[in-house]
């Protein structure tokens, strides 16, 4: 079974920074796309940033220029460096990954349990 475990969330003042990590563990062949989503209270879960296995990235307009997604394929880990945080960034941040268990099967999609990010004004 594949598990995604996030870390790095916490409480920070506006203008501050946090670096989230998400490590994949278990038995699998390879990881394709990885991404970070967030869900604020009363709102739908939304894509924050995504990265392909070849390191192409995609960002929501609200975080462009402030957040940077990266990955270490050798460590099966994706990162989200968040700078210049605002109270509007407060949410639970979830890791997501498309994982191929074997070379001949289609990828399955997995979610982490989430990590809370709270930005105070």
């Amino acid at each position: 079974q594949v598990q995604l475990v996030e870390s790095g969330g916490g409480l920070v003042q506006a203008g501050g920074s946090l670096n989230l990590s998400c490590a994949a563990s278990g038995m699998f062949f390879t990881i394709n796309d990885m991404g970070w989503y967030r869900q604020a209270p009363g709102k739908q879960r939304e894509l924050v940033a995504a990265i392909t296995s070849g390191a192409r990235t995609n960002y929501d307009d609200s975080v462009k220029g402030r957040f940077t997604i990266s990955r270490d394929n050798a460590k099966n880990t994706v990162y989200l460096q968040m700078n210049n945080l605002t109270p509007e960034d407060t949410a639970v941040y979830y890791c997501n990954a498309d994982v191929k268990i074997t070379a001949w099967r289609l990828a399955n999609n997995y979610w982490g349990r989430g990590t809370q990010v709270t930005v105070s004004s």
Side-chain angles (χ1 to χ4, degrees):
Q1 182 67 300
V2 176
Q3 286 190 322
L4 301 178
V5 180
E6 302 101 334
S7 61
L11 173 64
V12 64
Q13 288 188 330
S17 298
L18 285 173
N19 189 25
L20 305 184
S21 299
C22 171
S25 63
M27 297 292 292
F28 52 87
F29 174 68
T30 193
I31 303 175
N32 293 340
D33 295 352
M34 302 185 81
W36 289 95
Y37 289 70
R38 67 186 179 188
Q39 187 167 18
K43 294 188 177 181
Q44 289 188 330
R45 191 173 298 188
E46 61 178 7
L47 175 66
V48 176
I51 186 167
T52 68
S53 57
R56 286 181 298 173
T57 59
N58 179 45
Y59 296 93
D60 183 79
D61 287 344
S62 66
V63 307
K64 282 181 181 177
R66 300 188 299 123
F67 291 10
T68 302
I69 189 170
S70 61
R71 63 190 286 173
D72 185 333
N73 292 331
K75 295 182 178 179
N76 297 316
T77 299
V78 62
Y79 306 95
L80 186 68
Q81 176 65 43
M82 305 185 294
N83 298 327
N84 194 21
L85 285 160
T86 73
E88 288 69 35
D89 296 315
T90 295
V92 178
Y93 284 70
Y94 296 91
C95 178
N96 181 267
D98 287 331
V99 181
K100 294 190 70 172
I101 304 301
T102 62
W104 53 89
R105 291 181 65 178
L106 295 176
N108 295 328
N109 188 256
Y110 295 89
W111 290 93
R113 292 189 174 186
T115 184
Q116 177 69 46
V117 171
T118 303
V119 184
S120 63
S121 58

